[in-house]
Amino acid sequence: MGSFISLLIILLGFIIFCSIFFFVAVSDAKVREKSTLEILKALPNSITDKWVVRYNIGRPQGRFLKMKTFQGSGVLYIDKNEIHFEDVLGNESHVFQLNDCKISWVENKINGITNSFKIVDPNRAMFFYVEKGMFVVNSIEENASTSELYSYLKMLRKSNKKQSKITE
């Protein structure tokens, strides 16, 4: 009888732990989604190129073991000759000058992390991948794929550089 009660207590503890973990994950996803939607609503109507992305900053990208595959979420958008990134928490927001940044593809083969692309300027290196809304509670519309966004930004950067050479 005593072993049955201790087994029941262990099972109950496991269920409570899983419930708390799931509640925290759902709450975090809802807060991230709400903040992302607020950023999207605050953008001027003239901005048509915008994507919901997840990001890592260069420092933790080289670690072999990671607790999670991204540091945060945000919105990447194009305004004039700039790539703007607005972090959901407002901590890592940054503006990349289209002519002065380097955009490159990054194959991630460790820890099953999705492929991403890197944008580097003299002040910052950031890794991005498109958030596809795989979590159950995420209702943000589907984005382009990470490779499509990368190709689009490379094409935009190339045409912008050509335009700059023509006007010089």
Side-chain angles (χ1 to χ4, degrees):
M1 184 71 170
S3 62
F4 177 72
I5 291 176
S6 58
L7 184 62
L8 189 62
I9 290 172
I10 290 172
L11 184 63
L12 185 63
F14 179 74
I15 291 171
I16 289 171
F17 173 76
C18 289
S19 299
I20 291 171
F21 182 78
F22 184 73
F23 176 75
V24 168
V26 169
S27 298
D28 183 47
K30 282 291 190 186
V31 167
R32 192 172 60 245
E33 178 183 19
K34 182 181 177 195
S35 299
T36 301
L37 290 173
E38 287 175 8
I39 291 172
L40 289 170
K41 286 178 187 173
L43 295 177
N45 291 335
S46 62
I47 296 184
T48 57
D49 296 332
K50 53 191 169 208
W51 304 270
V52 177
V53 294
R54 293 201 174 170
Y55 74 92
N56 278 323
I57 296 176
R59 293 181 304 274
Q61 192 67 17
R63 293 187 192 148
F64 182 71
L65 295 173
K66 299 178 181 84
M67 292 302 291
K68 58 183 182 176
T69 60
F70 63 95
Q71 283 180 255
S73 297
V75 175
L76 196 69
Y77 65 93
I78 307 296
D79 188 17
K80 298 179 180 131
N81 293 328
E82 299 173 332
I83 302 171
H84 292 258
F85 173 67
E86 293 291 329
D87 180 17
V88 167
L89 300 175
N91 298 331
E92 302 296 341
S93 298
H94 190 68
V95 177
F96 297 94
Q97 300 300 319
L98 205 50
N99 288 337
D100 299 333
C101 68
K102 181 180 177 190
I103 303 170
S104 57
W105 184 253
V106 179
E107 291 272 338
N108 288 313
K109 295 184 179 180
I110 56 173
N111 291 348
I113 297 172
T114 50
N115 292 328
S116 59
F117 61 91
K118 176 171 67 169
I119 303 178
V120 179
D121 72 5
N123 301 317
R124 178 156 300 171
M126 295 182 84
F127 297 81
F128 296 99
Y129 71 93
V130 174
E131 183 173 350
K132 289 303 244 178
M134 289 197 244
F135 200 73
V136 177
V137 298
N138 194 342
S139 64
I140 295 172
E141 302 134 23
E142 284 286 318
N143 285 321
S145 71
T146 302
S147 61
E148 290 170 342
L149 175 55
Y150 165 74
S151 297
Y152 179 74
L153 291 175
K154 286 290 278 190
M155 183 266 315
L156 192 64
R157 184 174 180 275
K158 189 176 183 178
S159 66
N160 193 43
K161 280 195 167 215
K162 277 184 185 177
Q163 193 70 9
S164 295
K165 286 181 182 179
I166 292 171
T167 57
E168 288 178 354

